[in-house]
Amino acid sequence: MTSVHREDGFRVVIWSLEHGTPHVHVFKAEGVARIHLGWEGTPVLQEASMGPRDTRRAMEIVREHADMIRSEWRRLHGG
């Protein structure tokens, strides 16, 4: 597990041994959101166990840092 970004109490994580569809897990307190990155366009929420406000903020953070996060995904997964 690699933390690639922290902001406003959120932690964006990429699992290094997890393959398949490029995605991140965004943690805050007891909740987590799984967000599909895609290689182009806007990230898409796959599932969340946090409240709506935190889910929206998690999505904003991933959108704001999408290029860096995609770059880290490629670095960790050899793509």
Side-chain angles (χ1 to χ4, degrees):
M1 169 174 69
T2 302
S3 294
V4 295
H5 186 74
R6 293 176 189 264
E7 183 175 332
D8 297 336
F10 292 85
R11 184 168 52 110
V12 180
V13 171
I14 298 172
W15 294 97
S16 57
L17 298 176
E18 191 172 47
H19 297 285
T21 305
H23 66 278
V24 293
H25 303 266
V26 182
F27 295 89
K28 182 171 184 198
E30 300 297 318
V32 62
R34 182 176 170 173
I35 301 171
H36 171 34
L37 297 174
W39 294 119
E40 297 178 19
T42 304
V44 176
L45 180 67
Q46 290 182 313
E47 61 184 298
S49 64
M50 58 178 61
R53 181 178 175 188
D54 284 344
T55 299
R56 281 191 302 277
R57 183 64 186 131
M59 288 295 295
E60 289 172 5
I61 290 169
V62 171
R63 276 193 298 271
E64 290 168 5
H65 303 282
D67 290 339
M68 179 275 297
I69 294 169
R70 286 183 188 106
S71 177
E72 284 298 304
W73 176 273
R74 287 183 192 105
R75 184 181 69 79
L76 289 167
H77 293 95

